[in-house]
């Protein structure tokens, strides 16, 4: 079964600085990969996803992620952090478990933006 | 934009009460899911459904039950609430294909006293 590891449960950056949230997965075949964002007291919102094709995926709010098969990674980046980016971020990978297609989530990374 | 709704958004209830958390989606998705989210953020799948009259238990054991009588509706029921059920419950839906993208509702935050 797939597993997802998000390096760093808390990441803090200054406003205007680069945001880098790390995600590694375990897979022997190319998976579907996702990043979701969760703002306080809300559900998860899809930021971006990789299914097939171009390995650099652009999402909403200026975020992008690159699928690197050789590194089994799908790190999320944004060139310049904004205060409104403060939220929880979840990486997920699709997997077939006991015949059912499911999403396996990482444990989440809390992003804090310092003024 | 996903159209998936959960009610109530917040619920405070006493031990032993029966509760039903509602989840509805207007996208015609066949698949629906319930997750329990701990204060530490990690999501645990507790139930899922692949269509009408289909329900399956998820990865995390739960005392709750679900039903899927209509495509758009996937309620979760706790027959006798306990403080250990205090958590946030998130509902999601997806359609076959579409890279298995799940769309989430806003969640229900449950507090059992």
């Amino acid at each position: 079964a797939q597993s997802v590891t998000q390096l760093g449960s808390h990441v803090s950056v200054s406003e205007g600085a680069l945001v880098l949230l790390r995600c590694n997965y375990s897979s022997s075949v190319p998976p579907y990969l996702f990043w979701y964002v969760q703002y306080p007291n809300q559900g998860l919102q899809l930021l971006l996803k990789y299914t097939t094709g171009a390995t650099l995926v652009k999402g909403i709010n200026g975020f992008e992620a690159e699928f690197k098969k050789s590194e089994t990674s799908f790190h999320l980046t944004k060139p310049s952090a904004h205060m409104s980016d403060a939220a929880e971020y979840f990486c997920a990978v699709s997997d077939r478990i006991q015949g059912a297609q499911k999403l396996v989530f990482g444990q989440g990374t809390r992003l804090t933006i310092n003024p | 934009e996903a159209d998936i709704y959960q009610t109530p958004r917040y619920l405070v209830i006493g031990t032993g009460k029966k509760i039903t958390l509602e989840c509805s989606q207007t996208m015609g998705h066949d698949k629906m899911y319930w997750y329990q989210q701990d204060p530490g953020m990690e999501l645990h799948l507790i139930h899922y459904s692949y269509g009408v009259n289909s329900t399956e238990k998820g990865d995390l054991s739960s005392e709750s039950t679900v039903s899927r009588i209509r495509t758009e509706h996937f309620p979760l029921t706790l027959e006798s609430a306990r403080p250990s059920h205090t958590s946030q419950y998130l509902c999601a839906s997806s359609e076959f294909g579409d890279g298995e993208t799940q769309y989430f509702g806003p969640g229900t935050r449950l507090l059992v006293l």
Side-chain angles (χ1 to χ4, degrees):
Chain A
Q2 291 270 15
S3 66
V4 177
T5 302
Q6 291 183 238
L7 296 176
S9 58
H10 290 86
V11 171
S12 181
V13 302
S14 298
E15 190 174 18
L18 171 72
V19 175
L20 171 60
L21 303 183
R22 300 177 188 274
C23 173
N24 288 88
Y25 63 92
S26 62
S27 175
S28 59
V29 296
Y32 294 153
L33 294 157
F34 306 82
W35 275 100
Y36 285 88
V37 61
Q38 185 178 32
Y39 298 103
N41 299 316
Q42 294 187 26
L44 276 67
Q45 180 184 2
L46 181 67
L47 267 180
L48 50 80
K49 67 180 180 184
Y50 169 81
T51 53
T52 59
T55 56
L56 182 62
V57 181
K58 295 187 184 298
I60 62 172
N61 302 337
F63 284 94
E64 61 183 34
E66 187 171 10
F67 168 58
K68 291 187 176 180
K69 183 179 177 182
S70 61
E71 299 177 6
T72 60
S73 69
F74 192 56
H75 302 331
L76 182 71
T77 60
K78 181 173 180 177
S80 178
H82 192 272
M83 296 298 291
S84 61
D85 294 328
E88 328 289 351
Y89 291 81
F90 292 90
C91 181
V93 61
S94 65
D95 193 18
R96 184 165 290 276
I97 303 171
Q98 296 179 330
Q101 198 75 28
K102 301 178 185 177
L103 283 187
V104 177
F105 286 89
Q107 72 274 28
T109 297
R110 178 166 295 172
L111 177 63
T112 302
I113 311 297
N114 301 313
Chain B
E1 187 69 29
D3 294 316
I4 181 164
Y5 309 97
Q6 290 186 244
T7 56
R9 292 293 317 278
Y10 303 94
L11 180 62
V12 181
I13 202 163
T15 297
K17 298 292 185 182
K18 177 180 179 179
I19 60 171
T20 296
L21 308 183
E22 302 288 348
C23 176
S24 295
Q25 50 95 6
T26 59
M27 298 170 284
H29 288 171
D30 286 316
K31 297 184 179 181
M32 296 189 74
Y33 313 81
W34 276 104
Y35 292 87
Q36 185 173 341
Q37 185 175 30
D38 301 329
M41 300 189 301
E42 193 167 357
L43 284 86
H44 302 283
L45 180 67
I46 52 175
H47 297 284
Y48 62 98
S49 167
Y50 277 0
V52 172
N53 295 325
S54 153
T55 61
E56 301 288 344
K57 290 190 179 297
D59 307 319
L60 179 69
S61 176
S62 174
E63 295 169 343
S64 58
T65 58
V66 291
S67 62
R68 189 87 183 276
I69 299 173
R70 303 198 316 265
T71 297
E72 63 272 21
H73 197 212
F74 191 42
L76 180 145
T77 298
L78 277 166
E79 290 292 334
S80 179
R82 292 208 299 268
S84 60
H85 297 139
T86 293
S87 188
Q88 172 153 260
Y89 293 84
L90 293 170
C91 181
S93 71
S94 69
E95 59 183 345
F96 287 97
D98 189 32
E100 301 295 329
T101 304
Q102 293 187 16
Y103 299 93
F104 284 79
T108 294
R109 191 170 293 277
L110 173 66
L111 173 61
V112 183
L113 302 175

